[in-house]
């Protein structure tokens, strides 16, 4: 099922499956323009999945909790579960997923995950709230975003006409992946630059995984038009940048509260990098925004 938010500028559509952003159309300019990748299954069949209760891949798709083995697929299970719509106004939709018998088989924790979408002017605010309803057990989790944006946005452009733009000169390295897992190696990407041109070669070794970066906004902008999309993600410790491969007409900007596992054997979830801990009765909140131009 789908639910829609709209104003005089934009129309946004959210799927109840995965509480996934499926469409973000700017309607106040001609022609109307879709900014979200439309999930061509022959390339990559998702739009903007929410990653929970892990971000990335685990060694052997396995983790340990109190010595017992559990299996979780890459990015967890929330993206494939049906959420309940628990609140709806003219400007906001709130979706909820709770632990159940099915989730406990692979993830032995009680949780409440709420995802809200608030549309104002040209900006969509996405908020996550994770609650631990248990009385006697910490909740261990990660959560992340994976929105995919059409690139190019206009028919006479190419992927290489676009670049990531930063608000100030930035320096960062990428943490390299091996089979979707952190290899322990790094590679420099930018040194005091404000722009990273998009090429498919940039992603030939999988996603760019960033830590310890000193920026909180990225704009994906064409050098041939005034169309662009801007993400703001204050307080996120990790970031992924990705596309599927040569010819894929999208690029992902992924703010993460968590990160992939490392090459090696499965580890206790408490020992995995990027795992957040919520005491009984506590809640976690995070937010990011998408603005279209």
């Amino acid at each position: 099922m789908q639910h829609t938010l709209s104003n005089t500028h934009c129309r946004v559509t959210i799927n109840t499956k995965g509480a996934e952003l499926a469409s973000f159309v700017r309607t106040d300019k001609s022609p109307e323009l879709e900014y979200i990748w439309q999930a061509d299954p022959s390339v990559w069949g998702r739009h903007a999945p929410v990653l929970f209760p892990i971000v990335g891949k685990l060694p052997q798709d396995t983790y340990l909790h109190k010595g017992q083995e559990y299996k979780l697929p890459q990015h967890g299970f929330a993206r494939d579960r049906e959420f309940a719509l628990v609140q709806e106004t003219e400007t906001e939709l709130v979706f909820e997923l709770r632990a159940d018998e099915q989730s406990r088989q692979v993830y032995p924790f009680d949780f409440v995950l709420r995802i809200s979408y608030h549309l104002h002017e040209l900006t969509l605010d996405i908020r996550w709230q994770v609650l631990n309803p248990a009385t006697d057990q910490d909740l261990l989790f990660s959560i992340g975003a994976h929105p995919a944006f059409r690139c190019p946005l206009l028919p006479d452009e190419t992927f290489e006409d676009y670049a990531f733009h930063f608000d100030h000169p930035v320096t960062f390295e990428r943490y390299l992946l091996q089979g979707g897992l952190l290899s322990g190696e790094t590679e420099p990407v930018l040194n005091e630059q404000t722009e990273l041109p998009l090429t498919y070669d940039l992603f030939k070794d999988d996603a760019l995984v960033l830590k310890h970066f000193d920026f909180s906004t990225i704009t994906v902008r064409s050098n041939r038009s005034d169309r662009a999309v801007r993400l703001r993600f204050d307080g996120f410790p990790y970031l992924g940048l990705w596309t599927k491969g040569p010819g894929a007409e999208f690029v992902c900007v992924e703010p993460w509260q968590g990160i992939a596992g490392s090459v090696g054997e499965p580890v206790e979830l408490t020992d995995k990098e990027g795992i957040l801990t919520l005491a009984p009765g506590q809640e976690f909140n995070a937010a990011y925004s998408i603005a279209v131009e």
Side-chain angles (χ1 to χ4, degrees), residues 206-226:
D206 208 334
L208 275 68
V209 176
L210 281 57
K211 312 180 192 180
H212 316 304
F213 48 90
D214 69 344
F215 55 89
S216 59
T217 62
I218 285 183
T219 303
V220 182
R221 184 180 299 280
S222 169
N223 60 25
R224 295 181 56 194
S225 76
D226 60 355

Side-chain angles (χ1 to χ4, degrees), residues 182-237:
L182 294 171
S183 69
E185 299 181 344
T186 63
E187 181 179 274
V189 179
L190 289 183
N191 184 16
E192 287 296 296
Q193 293 161 271
T194 59
E195 182 179 327
L196 178 59
L198 291 188
T199 66
Y200 289 114
D201 191 59
L202 185 63
F203 305 96
K204 64 180 174 58
D205 296 319
D206 208 334
L208 275 68
V209 176
L210 281 57
K211 312 180 192 180
H212 316 304
F213 48 90
D214 69 344
F215 55 89
S216 59
T217 62
I218 285 183
T219 303
V220 182
R221 184 180 299 280
S222 169
N223 60 25
R224 295 181 56 194
S225 76
D226 60 355
R227 299 288 195 154
V229 60
R230 179 181 179 87
L231 279 83
R232 184 180 182 95
F233 39 88
D234 296 309
F236 280 76

Side-chain angles (χ1 to χ4, degrees), residues 56-69:
K57 193 174 177 63
L58 296 169
Q60 302 167 35
D61 291 329
T62 301
Y63 69 94
L64 305 177
H65 180 57
K66 299 181 179 178
Q68 183 172 340
E69 283 195 358

Side-chain angles (χ1 to χ4, degrees), residues 167-179:
D167 287 347
H168 63 273
V170 299
T171 298
F172 61 81
E173 58 188 359
R174 65 188 295 185
Y175 287 74
L176 296 174
L177 297 170
Q178 180 180 319

